Amino acid sequence: MPDNEKESRREFLARAATAGTAFMFLMSAGAAAFVAFEYILPPARSMDIANKPMLAGSVSEIPAGKSKELLYGNTAVLVINVKGEFKAFNAKCTHLGCIVKWSESKGVFICPCHNGTFDTNGNVVSGPPPRPLGRIAVQVKEDKIYVGGES
Amino acid sequence: MIPEDKGLWSRFTRWAHQSLNLTEIADWFFTFTGLLYGELDRRLDLREAIPKALKKPVPKHINWLFCFGGTTFLFFLIQLVTGILLTLYYRPAPEAAYESVRHITNDVAFGWLVRGVHRWSATLMIIFVMLHMLRVFFMGAYKPPRELNWLVGTGLFMITLVFGFTGYLLPWDQLAYWATTVGTEMAGAVPVLGKFLLLIMRGGADVGGETLTRFFSAHCIILPIAIFFLLGFHFVILRRQGISGPM
Ligand code: HEM
Ligand code: FES
């Protein structure tokens, strides 16, 4: 019999086995939590961002005062013709993300959600939006309009 | 307790107290359906528990203001029943959701009623959980030793709100879509964590099919399980500590 102060071989092995099991249990729990976390995060593919200029249409399609809506990657884009000059904006309202509409009669962008309005430079005229609309580069080559990419 | 005036209401309550002895009715019912009760009672000794629960006295200071919690629970039970009925026809996919809700409303027998009750009861549940919180707050019923139940209650309150938020998207119409766009964008404005919260809630950069299935899963699976456990704690703690005293 070993003396009382010392651990017996049996006690030592039992404690080591307990510690080992606890360790393996914690590791698997950690791995499971990691897998679940990664699973919940949406895959990166659903966040594709376009970065090359894209054909938006021909000049004759958008007469002065009119607009055209299109999708550039995942971004809703509004192209307007202001007295012959083409401008493009990210149509996502800077307040809480609704898609703004071009109002031909008023000459401003109007957000249907809380009535934010933006002028033809994308600056806020009225309503809750804190920032101007995002500007999108426009290039006119011959009679074709391109949006996006470098300006 | 019951005033001896000639009012119709108090006459009714007095009559109810004297003639409708709940304990006797329950005992009669369980004896009458004897097979179940008798066979079960022989093994589980239930007969003792039922009158004990039914005879628990209501303290004198209790009034209608103390009913808001129970009313909230009643609306929750209505949500549970009508919600389960809705899942029989509802289809949580972007191509199918709107059409399935239209089908429930226009074609299914009493679908308009089930849907309408689910919607009204959702609104009333939120109103009554707020009234309940106000009652607890202004009567100081949150004070020690009842702080824990106040905490559980705030959890229940938040779950109720998230139920409403996730359910609102399910019809997948314009109102639902843009309300969710705006609501998730608000979560996106939280400092540091915002972008992450937005992604987790939407399941992508924009509100889309992934958002719909996520919200459906939350609305019909995750939240019901969560509220089941929290309600369990809430009621067990309440029963153990008893209702708070007079003001
Ligand atoms: C307990 C609190 C609950 C609240 C506050 C709540 C709230 C809502 C709301 C506001 C809607 C939109 C209703 C509509 O537009 O018609 C909805 C829809 C729905 N809910 Fe709930 N709900 C709750 C519980 C449940 C439960 C427990 C289930 C099922 C397990 C459920 C299943 C559904 C389904 C399938 C829909 C879509 C059908 C439809 O829009 O008519 N709900 N819920
Ligand atoms: S989202 Fe455009 S004004 Fe609120």
Side-chain angles (χ1 to χ4, degrees), chain B residues 90 92 97-98 101 166-173 176 212 215-216 219-220:
Chain B
Y90 179 76
Y98 181 79
V101 173
T166 51
Y168 204 75
L169 177 66
L170 302 182
W172 202 244
D173 52 11
L212 184 58
F215 275 38
F216 179 76
H219 191 83
C220 299

Side-chain angles (χ1 to χ4, degrees), chain A residues 37 39-43 46-47 74 92-93 95-99 113-114, chain B residues 178 181-183 185-186 189 196 198-200 202-206 210 214:
Chain A
F37 181 77
Y39 182 90
I40 292 168
L41 266 186
S46 54
M47 290 173 283
N74 272 340
K92 185 177 158 180
C93 179
H95 179 221
L96 290 167
C98 295
I99 300 296
C113 285
H114 317 99
Chain B
W178 295 107
T181 299
V182 164
E185 196 89 4
M186 284 183 196
F196 172 76
L198 186 79
L199 268 182
I200 290 282
R202 287 187 179 171
D206 302 299
E210 291 89 347
R214 256 161 217 243

